[in-house]
Amino acid sequence: MKATGERSEASELARLLLDEVGAATGGVQAMHRSISDRVFGAVALGVGTPALAVKAAHDAIADGVYSAIRGAAAATGKLAALGLAESTGDRLPSESVRGAMAIAAVEGLIGDVLEAEGSPLALPMSVRVDSRAVPLTTEGLARAFPHATGRVVVFVHGLMETETTWRFGGRRTYGERLVDDLGCTSVFVRYNTGRRISANGRELSALLDALVRAWPRKVEQLALIGHSMGGLVARSACFYGTETDAAWTHRVRHVVSLGSPHLGAPLEQAVHYASAALVAVPELRPFGTLLRRRSAGIRDLNQGAVVDEDWSGRGIDDLRRAVCREVPLLDGAMHCFVSATLTRSPAHPLGRLLGDGLVLVPSASGHGRTRRIGFRMEDGMHRAPAHHLTLLNDDEVYRQLLMWLRTGPGGARPADGPSGSAGADRP
C-alpha cells in the first residue's frame, strides 16, 4: 500500500497541473472574449441585432471548447498522478529523481504560494543523500555519511533544480570528485526555490548550524558552492549567520558562486517590465496576469535581492526597483566566482548581450557600473564558450574549483584531507 505522504504529493501535483492549465486556459479564453467583444461591438454598430445573435453563438461554441480543454486537463492530471505514484514504487515522489524534478519546477514557479497554503509540495530545506532527506542528528548524519571528515563542502543548487542537477551531462558530480581529490565530505542541499532568497538564506544558516553541531566529527573547514540562485542563497546565509554570530560561519574558508546573478538577471528584468506592459492592454491583460504569478524567488532575481530589506514594504510590481543593499562578504573566507559567455570572447557583442544565456558577466562577477559586490577579480574565472548549465558539471570549472579549495584565504595553501578518508557520498 502506498504511503499517505506519497498519495498526498502525487495528488497535489495533479491538482496543480489542473489549476495551472486551467489558469492558462482561462487567460486565453479571457483574451479571446476581449477580442471578440471588441470585434463584434464594432460590427454591431453597422449591422445591428444580427451581429449580436452571431456573437452569442460564437461565445457559446468558444466557451464549450475551453471547457473541454479544462476537462481534458483534469483527466490528464489524474493519470499523471497515478503514473507518478506507480513509477516511484515505495518512495515518495520527492524521494525519486523524476518526482523531485517535477516538484522543483512547480516550487520554482509558485513555491511561495505553496508554502503559504501549507502544501505538501512546499518541502523544507534538507540535506539529501540518494534523494532522501537526512535527519540532522549525529546518528542520522553518521548513517548517511559513514566516512565523514572534518572538511565539509556544501552544494546549493539553483532555481528549479535539485541536488541531482549537479550530475548534469551524466558525469560524476564536483562533490564526488572532490571526495577523491581533496579528502573532504560533500553535502548536497535541496530547497524550495520559489521562496524569498532571504528566507532560504536564513534557513540555510540554521541548517548549517545544526549540521556542524551534529556532525560525527569536529568540522574544521566549511566551503559553500552555489549554482545560479544557490550562490545568492549562500551569500544570504553568510550574512544572517554573521548577524547571529553562528558558529558555522567561523569555519567557512571558501564561498564559490557559479553563474550567480549577483546584480540581477536580465530575463527576470524583462518579464518584470513586459508584464506591466501586457496588463495595460485589455486583450493582452491575461498574459500579463499570468506573468505576474511568478514566485517571490524568481522576482528576487530582478536585482539579486539577498536580505529582507531589499523587498520588504515595496510593491512587487513597481516598475522602479530600489537598489539592493550591498551586504558585506563573510570575513575570513575566500570568495570566488565563475562567469560564462556563449561566445568565446566575453567582449564579443553577443557575449556582452547574452552572457551565458541567463546571466551576464558583470552580474556573475559582481562588478557592474554602479554596484560592486566585493569580489576580487583575481578570485574569478571566466568559462567560454559555455552556457548557464555548463557550470554545473564541467572539467575546466572543476579544475579551477579544486585549485581554489586547495588555496586558503589570502593565498595560503592548506594541507588536503587524508587521501581516501571520505567515501563517495552521492547526491
Side-chain angles (χ1 to χ4, degrees):
M1 179 177 293
K2 302 295 184 185
T4 301
E6 182 175 353
R7 289 200 304 270
S8 178
E9 287 185 356
S11 62
E12 182 74 352
L13 279 172
R15 181 188 71 79
L16 287 171
L17 174 62
L18 174 59
D19 286 352
E20 293 306 303
V21 173
T25 304
V28 175
Q29 182 178 8
M31 183 183 71
H32 187 157
R33 177 61 64 86
S34 180
I35 294 173
S36 67
D37 285 348
R38 180 169 294 192
V39 172
F40 280 111
V43 173
L45 292 176
V47 179
T49 304
L52 298 179
V54 174
K55 180 181 186 306
H58 167 273
D59 290 347
I61 293 172
D63 289 347
V65 170
Y66 290 117
S67 178
I69 292 174
R70 280 189 287 269
T76 302
K78 292 177 181 178
L79 289 174
L82 179 62
L84 180 60
E86 290 179 348
S87 68
T88 57
D90 294 330
R91 289 189 168 205
L92 297 169
S94 59
E95 294 177 343
S96 71
V97 173
R98 184 181 301 177
M101 290 300 293
I103 293 173
V106 172
E107 285 183 333
L109 291 170
I110 56 171
D112 53 339
V113 175
L114 297 180
E115 182 180 42
E117 294 177 346
S119 168
L121 298 184
L123 301 171
M125 184 177 289
S126 59
V127 170
R128 296 271 169 165
V129 171
D130 191 25
S131 294
R132 295 182 186 270
V134 177
L136 296 184
T137 63
T138 301
E139 296 77 13
L141 290 169
R143 285 194 301 270
F145 302 96
H147 306 286
T149 68
R151 186 170 190 180
V152 180
V153 180
V154 179
F155 290 84
V156 188
H157 61 72
L159 178 68
M160 298 186 192
E161 297 175 354
T162 73
E163 71 285 355
T164 59
T165 315
W166 294 100
R167 202 177 295 284
F168 181 74
R171 298 181 294 275
R172 297 178 72 213
T173 66
Y174 295 147
E176 291 168 334
R177 297 173 70 175
L178 286 174
V179 165
D180 294 337
D181 296 337
L182 204 61
C184 64
T185 304
S186 296
V187 173
F188 294 83
V189 171
R190 184 194 297 181
Y191 66 102
N192 176 356
T193 60
R195 302 174 71 214
R196 287 287 181 185
I197 288 174
S198 56
N200 278 322
R202 276 201 184 86
E203 192 168 5
L204 178 58
S205 177
L207 180 146
L208 292 173
D209 193 55
L211 181 79
V212 168
R213 292 178 185 278
W215 195 246
R217 292 184 54 177
K218 179 182 178 181
V219 176
E220 298 171 352
Q221 292 187 40
L222 264 178
L224 306 181
I225 300 175
H227 175 249
S228 195
M229 178 188 281
L232 302 185
V233 173
R235 275 183 56 218
S236 179
C238 289
F239 172 76
Y240 286 116
T242 301
E243 289 282 285
T244 60
D245 195 29
W248 68 268
T249 61
H250 301 289
R251 293 169 171 78
V252 177
R253 295 295 177 267
H254 300 84
V255 181
V256 183
S257 56
L258 309 176
S260 296
H262 295 289
L263 305 183
L267 181 58
E268 160 55 21
Q269 293 164 0
V271 170
H272 178 68
Y273 288 104
S275 64
L278 290 172
V279 297
V281 182
E283 291 82 2
L284 301 178
R285 185 172 296 123
F287 287 132
T289 301
L290 285 174
L291 288 179
R292 285 187 165 180
R293 294 179 67 237
R294 65 197 187 280
S295 70
I298 292 177
R299 289 174 181 274
D300 281 345
L301 298 179
N302 188 295
Q303 297 291 330
V306 299
V307 294
D308 292 346
E309 64 188 75
D310 289 337
W311 55 267
S312 181
R314 299 172 183 170
I316 59 175
D317 293 313
D318 289 347
L319 283 180
R320 294 180 62 85
R321 288 295 184 91
V323 175
C324 290
R325 175 183 175 186
E326 306 302 357
V327 299
L329 298 178
L330 180 64
D331 190 33
M334 181 179 181
H335 295 267
C336 309
F337 67 88
V338 177
S339 61
T341 50
L342 299 174
T343 56
R344 289 190 177 279
S345 170
H348 190 284
L350 282 179
R352 294 169 63 89
L353 177 65
L354 300 176
D356 64 12
L358 289 177
V359 178
L360 304 184
V361 172
S363 188
S365 64
H367 281 67
R369 292 182 179 178
T370 60
R371 294 177 60 192
R372 297 288 191 276
I373 298 301
F375 299 137
R376 300 193 314 167
M377 294 305 290
E378 56 265 38
D379 292 330
M381 171 196 178
H382 184 74
R383 175 72 171 89
H387 56 76
H388 193 62
L389 296 181
T390 300
L391 306 184
L392 280 163
N393 199 324
D394 175 74
D395 287 341
E396 287 187 35
V397 173
Y398 175 72
R399 285 192 289 270
Q400 181 64 65
L401 187 62
L402 183 61
M403 183 182 300
W404 280 330
L405 294 182
R406 282 177 168 165
T407 304
R413 182 181 173 87
D416 291 349
S419 177
S421 63
D425 299 306
R426 297 177 178 272

PDB file of all heavy atoms in Angstrom, residues 124-154:
ATOM      1  N   PRO A 124      10.560  21.501   3.205  1.00  0.00           N
ATOM      2  CA  PRO A 124      11.569  22.284   3.933  1.00  0.00           C
ATOM      3  C   PRO A 124      12.964  22.008   3.382  1.00  0.00           C
ATOM      4  O   PRO A 124      13.208  20.967   2.758  1.00  0.00           O
ATOM      5  CB  PRO A 124      11.424  21.785   5.374  1.00  0.00           C
ATOM      6  CG  PRO A 124      10.886  20.391   5.238  1.00  0.00           C
ATOM      7  CD  PRO A 124       9.975  20.432   4.050  1.00  0.00           C
ATOM      8  N   MET A 125      13.880  22.925   3.608  1.00  0.00           N
ATOM      9  CA  MET A 125      15.260  22.726   3.192  1.00  0.00           C
ATOM     10  C   MET A 125      15.828  21.506   3.900  1.00  0.00           C
ATOM     11  O   MET A 125      15.550  21.265   5.080  1.00  0.00           O
ATOM     12  CB  MET A 125      16.084  23.968   3.531  1.00  0.00           C
ATOM     13  CG  MET A 125      17.525  23.921   3.060  1.00  0.00           C
ATOM     14  SD  MET A 125      18.422  25.455   3.428  1.00  0.00           S
ATOM     15  CE  MET A 125      17.669  26.590   2.256  1.00  0.00           C
ATOM     16  N   SER A 126      16.612  20.729   3.175  1.00  0.00           N
ATOM     17  CA  SER A 126      17.133  19.489   3.753  1.00  0.00           C
ATOM     18  C   SER A 126      18.433  19.083   3.086  1.00  0.00           C
ATOM     19  O   SER A 126      18.745  19.499   1.974  1.00  0.00           O
ATOM     20  CB  SER A 126      16.113  18.354   3.595  1.00  0.00           C
ATOM     21  OG  SER A 126      15.812  18.140   2.221  1.00  0.00           O
ATOM     22  N   VAL A 127      19.202  18.281   3.810  1.00  0.00           N
ATOM     23  CA  VAL A 127      20.365  17.599   3.240  1.00  0.00           C
ATOM     24  C   VAL A 127      19.837  16.314   2.620  1.00  0.00           C
ATOM     25  O   VAL A 127      19.006  15.621   3.218  1.00  0.00           O
ATOM     26  CB  VAL A 127      21.414  17.286   4.319  1.00  0.00           C
ATOM     27  CG1 VAL A 127      22.508  16.363   3.780  1.00  0.00           C
ATOM     28  CG2 VAL A 127      22.016  18.576   4.859  1.00  0.00           C
ATOM     29  N   ARG A 128      20.282  16.002   1.410  1.00  0.00           N
ATOM     30  CA  ARG A 128      19.779  14.820   0.709  1.00  0.00           C
ATOM     31  C   ARG A 128      20.915  13.865   0.339  1.00  0.00           C
ATOM     32  O   ARG A 128      21.971  14.291  -0.120  1.00  0.00           O
ATOM     33  CB  ARG A 128      19.040  15.226  -0.560  1.00  0.00           C
ATOM     34  CG  ARG A 128      17.790  16.059  -0.313  1.00  0.00           C
ATOM     35  CD  ARG A 128      16.576  15.206  -0.136  1.00  0.00           C
ATOM     36  NE  ARG A 128      15.421  15.961   0.345  1.00  0.00           N
ATOM     37  CZ  ARG A 128      14.174  15.510   0.315  1.00  0.00           C
ATOM     38  NH1 ARG A 128      13.923  14.305  -0.174  1.00  0.00           N
ATOM     39  NH2 ARG A 128      13.182  16.235   0.799  1.00  0.00           N
ATOM     40  N   VAL A 129      20.671  12.581   0.542  1.00  0.00           N
ATOM     41  CA  VAL A 129      21.554  11.525   0.073  1.00  0.00           C
ATOM     42  C   VAL A 129      20.665  10.495  -0.613  1.00  0.00           C
ATOM     43  O   VAL A 129      19.683  10.022  -0.030  1.00  0.00           O
ATOM     44  CB  VAL A 129      22.332  10.868   1.236  1.00  0.00           C
ATOM     45  CG1 VAL A 129      23.072   9.619   0.743  1.00  0.00           C
ATOM     46  CG2 VAL A 129      23.327  11.854   1.839  1.00  0.00           C
ATOM     47  N   ASP A 130      20.977  10.178  -1.855  1.00  0.00           N
ATOM     48  CA  ASP A 130      20.156   9.257  -2.636  1.00  0.00           C
ATOM     49  C   ASP A 130      18.713   9.750  -2.668  1.00  0.00           C
ATOM     50  O   ASP A 130      17.769   8.966  -2.564  1.00  0.00           O
ATOM     51  CB  ASP A 130      20.241   7.843  -2.061  1.00  0.00           C
ATOM     52  CG  ASP A 130      19.624   6.801  -2.983  1.00  0.00           C
ATOM     53  OD1 ASP A 130      19.567   7.049  -4.204  1.00  0.00           O
ATOM     54  OD2 ASP A 130      19.183   5.747  -2.478  1.00  0.00           O
ATOM     55  N   SER A 131      18.530  11.047  -2.784  1.00  0.00           N
ATOM     56  CA  SER A 131      17.238  11.738  -2.881  1.00  0.00           C
ATOM     57  C   SER A 131      16.424  11.744  -1.591  1.00  0.00           C
ATOM     58  O   SER A 131      15.357  12.337  -1.532  1.00  0.00           O
ATOM     59  CB  SER A 131      16.371  11.144  -4.011  1.00  0.00           C
ATOM     60  OG  SER A 131      16.950  11.391  -5.269  1.00  0.00           O
ATOM     61  N   ARG A 132      16.909  11.104  -0.537  1.00  0.00           N
ATOM     62  CA  ARG A 132      16.177  11.068   0.727  1.00  0.00           C
ATOM     63  C   ARG A 132      16.725  12.123   1.686  1.00  0.00           C
ATOM     64  O   ARG A 132      17.925  12.376   1.728  1.00  0.00           O
ATOM     65  CB  ARG A 132      16.277   9.679   1.377  1.00  0.00           C
ATOM     66  CG  ARG A 132      15.604   8.562   0.592  1.00  0.00           C
ATOM     67  CD  ARG A 132      15.722   7.255   1.361  1.00  0.00           C
ATOM     68  NE  ARG A 132      15.230   6.102   0.623  1.00  0.00           N
ATOM     69  CZ  ARG A 132      13.982   5.656   0.665  1.00  0.00           C
ATOM     70  NH1 ARG A 132      13.090   6.276   1.437  1.00  0.00           N
ATOM     71  NH2 ARG A 132      13.614   4.601  -0.034  1.00  0.00           N
ATOM     72  N   ALA A 133      15.820  12.721   2.478  1.00  0.00           N
ATOM     73  CA  ALA A 133      16.220  13.704   3.469  1.00  0.00           C
ATOM     74  C   ALA A 133      16.970  13.033   4.613  1.00  0.00           C
ATOM     75  O   ALA A 133      16.594  11.942   5.057  1.00  0.00           O
ATOM     76  CB  ALA A 133      14.994  14.431   4.009  1.00  0.00           C
ATOM     77  N   VAL A 134      18.039  13.664   5.053  1.00  0.00           N
ATOM     78  CA  VAL A 134      18.880  13.131   6.131  1.00  0.00           C
ATOM     79  C   VAL A 134      18.549  13.848   7.431  1.00  0.00           C
ATOM     80  O   VAL A 134      18.598  15.082   7.485  1.00  0.00           O
ATOM     81  CB  VAL A 134      20.376  13.318   5.806  1.00  0.00           C
ATOM     82  CG1 VAL A 134      21.240  12.826   6.959  1.00  0.00           C
ATOM     83  CG2 VAL A 134      20.730  12.594   4.506  1.00  0.00           C
ATOM     84  N   PRO A 135      18.206  13.122   8.498  1.00  0.00           N
ATOM     85  CA  PRO A 135      17.971  13.774   9.798  1.00  0.00           C
ATOM     86  C   PRO A 135      19.246  14.454  10.287  1.00  0.00           C
ATOM     87  O   PRO A 135      20.326  13.854  10.236  1.00  0.00           O
ATOM     88  CB  PRO A 135      17.580  12.604  10.713  1.00  0.00           C
ATOM     89  CG  PRO A 135      17.180  11.498   9.802  1.00  0.00           C
ATOM     90  CD  PRO A 135      18.008  11.660   8.569  1.00  0.00           C
ATOM     91  N   LEU A 136      19.122  15.683  10.747  1.00  0.00           N
ATOM     92  CA  LEU A 136      20.305  16.414  11.214  1.00  0.00           C
ATOM     93  C   LEU A 136      20.580  16.101  12.674  1.00  0.00           C
ATOM     94  O   LEU A 136      20.621  16.980  13.549  1.00  0.00           O
ATOM     95  CB  LEU A 136      20.114  17.909  10.987  1.00  0.00           C
ATOM     96  CG  LEU A 136      19.998  18.343   9.523  1.00  0.00           C
ATOM     97  CD1 LEU A 136      19.921  19.854   9.415  1.00  0.00           C
ATOM     98  CD2 LEU A 136      21.163  17.806   8.689  1.00  0.00           C
ATOM     99  N   THR A 137      20.787  14.813  12.914  1.00  0.00           N
ATOM    100  CA  THR A 137      21.207  14.319  14.225  1.00  0.00           C
ATOM    101  C   THR A 137      22.536  13.597  14.026  1.00  0.00           C
ATOM    102  O   THR A 137      22.877  13.197  12.902  1.00  0.00           O
ATOM    103  CB  THR A 137      20.181  13.341  14.801  1.00  0.00           C
ATOM    104  OG1 THR A 137      20.087  12.190  13.931  1.00  0.00           O
ATOM    105  CG2 THR A 137      18.802  13.998  14.916  1.00  0.00           C
ATOM    106  N   THR A 138      23.275  13.427  15.098  1.00  0.00           N
ATOM    107  CA  THR A 138      24.561  12.741  14.982  1.00  0.00           C
ATOM    108  C   THR A 138      24.361  11.341  14.430  1.00  0.00           C
ATOM    109  O   THR A 138      25.130  10.884  13.567  1.00  0.00           O
ATOM    110  CB  THR A 138      25.261  12.673  16.350  1.00  0.00           C
ATOM    111  OG1 THR A 138      25.463  14.011  16.831  1.00  0.00           O
ATOM    112  CG2 THR A 138      26.609  11.977  16.239  1.00  0.00           C
ATOM    113  N   GLU A 139      23.329  10.647  14.883  1.00  0.00           N
ATOM    114  CA  GLU A 139      23.062   9.296  14.404  1.00  0.00           C
ATOM    115  C   GLU A 139      22.665   9.305  12.931  1.00  0.00           C
ATOM    116  O   GLU A 139      23.162   8.499  12.129  1.00  0.00           O
ATOM    117  CB  GLU A 139      21.955   8.645  15.236  1.00  0.00           C
ATOM    118  CG  GLU A 139      22.291   8.431  16.701  1.00  0.00           C
ATOM    119  CD  GLU A 139      22.211   9.714  17.517  1.00  0.00           C
ATOM    120  OE1 GLU A 139      21.668  10.723  17.007  1.00  0.00           O
ATOM    121  OE2 GLU A 139      22.704   9.720  18.659  1.00  0.00           O
ATOM    122  N   GLY A 140      21.760  10.220  12.567  1.00  0.00           N
ATOM    123  CA  GLY A 140      21.322  10.278  11.175  1.00  0.00           C
ATOM    124  C   GLY A 140      22.442  10.645  10.230  1.00  0.00           C
ATOM    125  O   GLY A 140      22.582  10.060   9.147  1.00  0.00           O
ATOM    126  N   LEU A 141      23.275  11.599  10.614  1.00  0.00           N
ATOM    127  CA  LEU A 141      24.390  12.010   9.759  1.00  0.00           C
ATOM    128  C   LEU A 141      25.456  10.927   9.677  1.00  0.00           C
ATOM    129  O   LEU A 141      26.071  10.727   8.621  1.00  0.00           O
ATOM    130  CB  LEU A 141      24.991  13.311  10.294  1.00  0.00           C
ATOM    131  CG  LEU A 141      24.109  14.555  10.138  1.00  0.00           C
ATOM    132  CD1 LEU A 141      24.676  15.723  10.931  1.00  0.00           C
ATOM    133  CD2 LEU A 141      23.983  14.938   8.664  1.00  0.00           C
ATOM    134  N   ALA A 142      25.678  10.212  10.764  1.00  0.00           N
ATOM    135  CA  ALA A 142      26.675   9.132  10.754  1.00  0.00           C
ATOM    136  C   ALA A 142      26.241   8.017   9.816  1.00  0.00           C
ATOM    137  O   ALA A 142      27.073   7.414   9.121  1.00  0.00           O
ATOM    138  CB  ALA A 142      26.872   8.594  12.164  1.00  0.00           C
ATOM    139  N   ARG A 143      24.944   7.724   9.784  1.00  0.00           N
ATOM    140  CA  ARG A 143      24.449   6.693   8.851  1.00  0.00           C
ATOM    141  C   ARG A 143      24.572   7.156   7.407  1.00  0.00           C
ATOM    142  O   ARG A 143      24.948   6.377   6.524  1.00  0.00           O
ATOM    143  CB  ARG A 143      22.988   6.357   9.170  1.00  0.00           C
ATOM    144  CG  ARG A 143      22.787   5.502  10.414  1.00  0.00           C
ATOM    145  CD  ARG A 143      21.379   4.932  10.458  1.00  0.00           C
ATOM    146  NE  ARG A 143      20.374   5.988  10.464  1.00  0.00           N
ATOM    147  CZ  ARG A 143      19.893   6.528  11.576  1.00  0.00           C
ATOM    148  NH1 ARG A 143      20.332   6.125  12.757  1.00  0.00           N
ATOM    149  NH2 ARG A 143      18.971   7.480  11.509  1.00  0.00           N
ATOM    150  N   ALA A 144      24.242   8.416   7.160  1.00  0.00           N
ATOM    151  CA  ALA A 144      24.265   8.933   5.793  1.00  0.00           C
ATOM    152  C   ALA A 144      25.683   9.183   5.287  1.00  0.00           C
ATOM    153  O   ALA A 144      25.961   9.050   4.090  1.00  0.00           O
ATOM    154  CB  ALA A 144      23.457  10.225   5.716  1.00  0.00           C
ATOM    155  N   PHE A 145      26.596   9.541   6.205  1.00  0.00           N
ATOM    156  CA  PHE A 145      27.977   9.851   5.842  1.00  0.00           C
ATOM    157  C   PHE A 145      28.918   9.010   6.701  1.00  0.00           C
ATOM    158  O   PHE A 145      29.568   9.529   7.634  1.00  0.00           O
ATOM    159  CB  PHE A 145      28.253  11.342   6.030  1.00  0.00           C
ATOM    160  CG  PHE A 145      27.355  12.247   5.235  1.00  0.00           C
ATOM    161  CD1 PHE A 145      26.212  12.797   5.812  1.00  0.00           C
ATOM    162  CD2 PHE A 145      27.633  12.540   3.910  1.00  0.00           C
ATOM    163  CE1 PHE A 145      25.370  13.629   5.086  1.00  0.00           C
ATOM    164  CE2 PHE A 145      26.799  13.369   3.166  1.00  0.00           C
ATOM    165  CZ  PHE A 145      25.657  13.913   3.759  1.00  0.00           C
ATOM    166  N   PRO A 146      29.016   7.716   6.408  1.00  0.00           N
ATOM    167  CA  PRO A 146      29.825   6.822   7.245  1.00  0.00           C
ATOM    168  C   PRO A 146      31.310   7.149   7.231  1.00  0.00           C
ATOM    169  O   PRO A 146      32.047   6.720   8.120  1.00  0.00           O
ATOM    170  CB  PRO A 146      29.549   5.445   6.651  1.00  0.00           C
ATOM    171  CG  PRO A 146      29.120   5.712   5.242  1.00  0.00           C
ATOM    172  CD  PRO A 146      28.371   6.994   5.295  1.00  0.00           C
ATOM    173  N   HIS A 147      31.768   7.905   6.215  1.00  0.00           N
ATOM    174  CA  HIS A 147      33.186   8.266   6.117  1.00  0.00           C
ATOM    175  C   HIS A 147      33.367   9.774   6.328  1.00  0.00           C
ATOM    176  O   HIS A 147      34.244  10.394   5.708  1.00  0.00           O
ATOM    177  CB  HIS A 147      33.754   7.852   4.767  1.00  0.00           C
ATOM    178  CG  HIS A 147      33.546   6.399   4.452  1.00  0.00           C
ATOM    179  ND1 HIS A 147      34.266   5.397   5.066  1.00  0.00           N
ATOM    180  CD2 HIS A 147      32.677   5.781   3.604  1.00  0.00           C
ATOM    181  CE1 HIS A 147      33.862   4.214   4.596  1.00  0.00           C
ATOM    182  NE2 HIS A 147      32.911   4.430   3.718  1.00  0.00           N
ATOM    183  N   ALA A 148      32.564  10.347   7.176  1.00  0.00           N
ATOM    184  CA  ALA A 148      32.599  11.795   7.397  1.00  0.00           C
ATOM    185  C   ALA A 148      33.985  12.271   7.820  1.00  0.00           C
ATOM    186  O   ALA A 148      34.660  11.631   8.627  1.00  0.00           O
ATOM    187  CB  ALA A 148      31.577  12.173   8.472  1.00  0.00           C
ATOM    188  N   THR A 149      34.401  13.406   7.254  1.00  0.00           N
ATOM    189  CA  THR A 149      35.686  14.014   7.593  1.00  0.00           C
ATOM    190  C   THR A 149      35.437  15.366   8.241  1.00  0.00           C
ATOM    191  O   THR A 149      34.302  15.833   8.348  1.00  0.00           O
ATOM    192  CB  THR A 149      36.548  14.208   6.332  1.00  0.00           C
ATOM    193  OG1 THR A 149      35.936  15.206   5.499  1.00  0.00           O
ATOM    194  CG2 THR A 149      36.678  12.911   5.543  1.00  0.00           C
ATOM    195  N   GLY A 150      36.507  16.004   8.641  1.00  0.00           N
ATOM    196  CA  GLY A 150      36.389  17.316   9.266  1.00  0.00           C
ATOM    197  C   GLY A 150      36.339  18.456   8.270  1.00  0.00           C
ATOM    198  O   GLY A 150      36.216  19.622   8.659  1.00  0.00           O
ATOM    199  N   ARG A 151      36.432  18.115   6.990  1.00  0.00           N
ATOM    200  CA  ARG A 151      36.340  19.138   5.948  1.00  0.00           C
ATOM    201  C   ARG A 151      35.080  18.883   5.134  1.00  0.00           C
ATOM    202  O   ARG A 151      34.951  17.839   4.486  1.00  0.00           O
ATOM    203  CB  ARG A 151      37.572  19.108   5.054  1.00  0.00           C
ATOM    204  CG  ARG A 151      37.592  20.254   4.051  1.00  0.00           C
ATOM    205  CD  ARG A 151      38.926  20.355   3.325  1.00  0.00           C
ATOM    206  NE  ARG A 151      38.994  21.589   2.571  1.00  0.00           N
ATOM    207  CZ  ARG A 151      40.047  21.962   1.835  1.00  0.00           C
ATOM    208  NH1 ARG A 151      41.124  21.192   1.786  1.00  0.00           N
ATOM    209  NH2 ARG A 151      40.039  23.099   1.177  1.00  0.00           N
ATOM    210  N   VAL A 152      34.135  19.826   5.160  1.00  0.00           N
ATOM    211  CA  VAL A 152      32.823  19.633   4.541  1.00  0.00           C
ATOM    212  C   VAL A 152      32.608  20.669   3.443  1.00  0.00           C
ATOM    213  O   VAL A 152      32.858  21.866   3.645  1.00  0.00           O
ATOM    214  CB  VAL A 152      31.700  19.754   5.594  1.00  0.00           C
ATOM    215  CG1 VAL A 152      30.327  19.553   4.951  1.00  0.00           C
ATOM    216  CG2 VAL A 152      31.915  18.743   6.720  1.00  0.00           C
ATOM    217  N   VAL A 153      32.157  20.207   2.284  1.00  0.00           N
ATOM    218  CA  VAL A 153      31.831  21.086   1.158  1.00  0.00           C
ATOM    219  C   VAL A 153      30.331  20.958   0.902  1.00  0.00           C
ATOM    220  O   VAL A 153      29.837  19.857   0.650  1.00  0.00           O
ATOM    221  CB  VAL A 153      32.629  20.716  -0.111  1.00  0.00           C
ATOM    222  CG1 VAL A 153      32.266  21.665  -1.254  1.00  0.00           C
ATOM    223  CG2 VAL A 153      34.120  20.754   0.169  1.00  0.00           C
ATOM    224  N   VAL A 154      29.631  22.068   0.988  1.00  0.00           N
ATOM    225  CA  VAL A 154      28.170  22.085   0.854  1.00  0.00           C
ATOM    226  C   VAL A 154      27.784  22.663  -0.500  1.00  0.00           C
ATOM    227  O   VAL A 154      28.234  23.761  -0.873  1.00  0.00           O
ATOM    228  CB  VAL A 154      27.527  22.914   1.981  1.00  0.00           C
ATOM    229  CG1 VAL A 154      26.003  22.962   1.820  1.00  0.00           C
ATOM    230  CG2 VAL A 154      27.908  22.340   3.344  1.00  0.00           C
TER     231      VAL A 154
END
